[in-house]
Amino acid sequence: MNLKSVATFAVAATVTAMLGTQPASSHTQGTPRSSAPRASAQSITSGPWVKLAGTSAKLNDVPGGPVRLASYSLIFDAGQGHYGYLREGDRFVRTPYREALVAPGERWVAGIPDSRLWLAVKRIDLIDRTSGRKYTIPMPAPVTSPEWSPDGSTLLLTAYKPRRDGSLTIIGFITLTVTDRTPRLVETGPRHRVADWDIGRSFRFYFTGGADGVLAMHDERDVAPRKRRIAVYDLDGKRRRVYTGVGDLDEWHTVTPFSPSGRLFATFVREGENGHQIGIVEASTGKVVHRIGKDIHAFAGWYDEKHVIVQRKRAETQVVYQRADLSGTVDLELIREKLIAGPAEYKPHLDRVNFVHRD
């Protein structure tokens, strides 16, 4: 069986295994989600350590927690390729996608084809794991960077216009609901030109804590940090707000910067030789209300309203994903991954993780 056949079989197995998965959240589109977790922080303890296929990493599969790891992407060959993996029970299977992004509620999966992260694609797949159906949807413009709305009903993608030299110009965003599966292109914002590693990373769009607005970095990095802006747009592309000097979005690693309630979002407010400091911004006021750590490699999402998931490196031989409260105190390790000294960047290792919130 060739590689493509194996990958296709893996997706089919996943779809079959997930039949009967609970439906998408009934949360009303565009409104804040409840931040109430399934279990209190005090009652959450370590679970069984589950092997993450394709890498040396292991997952602390915390029982009863408010989130669980639903999918992840591996990077390999010094960033030349990406493989997406989907959860099937207590194991993970490889897919033919570079990203297989699971929606909240875990019914829908957005599959982004091709293994090259920097390639903007002209079609995506939507997989309904309740029915087992796959919908291949042509896009009105090349796209990257999927993100699901908190209610699992709407997919957001960043849209581009190709240039003759191979670079791309960001022209806006595309939204796609699971009910009609019709992509809607909205042209907005400054038309940043991106190439190579910046494609799929720089100036990508995110939902603003619901499905009724989006935001993206507005300024290039040559603008002083205190003057650098994050712009907020409505779904018609009109700019509604600007945050200034609140930090930069972690556009490479994070699936969504907003907390479950939509009241807070995370940025990088300071960079240093040993990592970054995370800023927690109050969306209503634009104030940085918390600063976390100084040695954080990546922001990997929200665990619940009072905890974030951060990635740290230990002596270049191990990567850990940790749960930290808003004071920076770490109380739980969620993922541990060993790195191989020397050619580690050529071996498959975790790049993006997708922890979804349970209802």
Side-chain angles (χ1 to χ4, degrees):
M1 184 179 291
N2 61 30
L3 185 62
K4 183 176 181 181
S5 298
V6 171
T8 303
F9 173 79
V11 171
T14 302
V15 171
T16 302
M18 294 305 296
L19 291 179
T21 298
Q22 65 184 27
S25 169
S26 59
H27 168 72
T28 302
Q29 181 174 337
T31 60
R33 291 168 60 88
S34 170
S35 61
R38 280 191 166 193
S40 68
Q42 290 77 15
S43 69
I44 293 175
T45 57
S46 295
W49 285 88
V50 176
K51 177 73 167 59
L52 297 184
T55 180
S56 65
K58 291 184 178 181
L59 166 72
N60 181 6
D61 210 14
V62 178
V67 298
R68 77 169 189 162
L69 185 66
S71 61
Y72 58 86
S73 291
L74 299 182
I75 187 171
F76 64 97
D77 196 16
Q80 298 300 307
H82 289 72
Y83 292 145
Y85 284 74
L86 272 175
R87 185 168 193 141
E88 181 185 325
D90 61 355
R91 66 190 185 97
F92 294 84
V93 296
R94 182 173 158 180
T95 74
Y97 306 111
R98 68 176 184 231
E99 290 184 82
L101 192 65
V102 180
E106 301 188 61
R107 173 176 174 177
W108 292 93
V109 178
I112 309 300
D114 204 282
S115 64
R116 294 165 292 178
L117 182 65
W118 63 89
L119 181 71
V121 299
K122 297 181 179 179
R123 63 176 178 83
I124 67 163
D125 289 341
L126 281 185
I127 301 168
D128 182 351
R129 292 194 289 184
T130 297
S131 67
R133 293 192 62 181
K134 181 180 78 172
Y135 304 90
T136 298
I137 303 172
M139 294 285 109
V143 297
T144 67
S145 311
E147 184 201 4
W148 285 101
S149 62
D151 62 2
S153 70
T154 307
L155 185 68
L156 174 69
L157 300 133
T158 301
Y160 303 84
K161 180 180 179 180
R163 303 177 68 94
R164 291 182 179 180
D165 62 0
S167 65
L168 301 174
T169 297
I170 296 176
I171 59 173
F173 60 89
I174 288 174
T175 55
L176 175 73
T177 65
V178 297
T179 51
D180 64 17
R181 297 181 297 280
T182 301
R184 178 174 179 258
L185 172 63
V186 178
E187 298 191 21
T188 192
R191 297 203 164 197
H192 294 287
R193 185 174 176 177
V194 293
D196 301 325
W197 300 111
D198 286 333
I199 297 172
R201 177 182 181 180
S202 296
F203 307 105
R204 62 169 292 184
F205 286 88
Y206 293 98
F207 279 121
T208 54
D212 54 358
V214 301
L215 84 168
M217 293 300 304
H218 187 275
D219 296 309
E220 302 279 356
R221 292 186 63 82
D222 58 357
V223 174
R226 70 180 183 279
K227 296 182 179 180
R228 208 171 293 157
R229 295 169 292 174
I230 299 174
V232 178
Y233 306 89
D234 65 22
L235 294 188
D236 291 323
K238 295 179 180 179
R239 195 170 75 181
R240 296 301 187 185
R241 182 169 187 170
V242 172
Y243 296 105
T244 302
V246 299
D248 298 338
L249 299 171
D250 183 357
E251 298 164 304
W252 185 270
H253 299 94
T254 187
V255 173
T256 177
F258 275 83
S259 68
S261 71
R263 294 192 296 267
L264 305 169
F265 66 93
T267 63
F268 282 149
V269 291
R270 190 174 64 192
E271 297 183 17
E273 292 183 1
N274 297 320
H276 306 272
Q277 183 179 61
I278 289 178
I280 302 299
V281 183
E282 188 176 56
S284 61
T285 64
K287 294 181 179 179
V288 178
V289 292
H290 299 282
R291 294 174 182 266
I292 301 173
K294 58 182 179 180
D295 58 348
I296 294 169
H297 181 70
F299 171 75
W302 288 80
Y303 190 86
D304 57 26
E305 194 69 17
K306 296 182 179 180
H307 297 83
V308 294
I309 301 170
V310 299
Q311 184 205 80
R312 284 185 166 98
K313 288 187 176 181
R314 292 175 174 167
E316 300 300 322
T317 60
Q318 188 181 56
V319 169
V320 292
Y321 289 80
Q322 303 169 321
R323 183 181 75 172
D325 65 21
L326 300 187
S327 71
T329 301
V330 172
D331 60 2
L332 195 65
E333 287 196 351
L334 299 171
I335 297 175
R336 296 172 184 164
E337 181 181 26
K338 292 182 179 179
L339 299 180
I340 301 172
E345 63 180 6
Y346 290 91
K347 300 293 184 180
H349 54 281
L350 288 171
D351 185 49
R352 293 180 177 177
V353 294
N354 176 26
F355 285 91
V356 299
H357 285 85
R358 292 165 162 162
D359 295 323

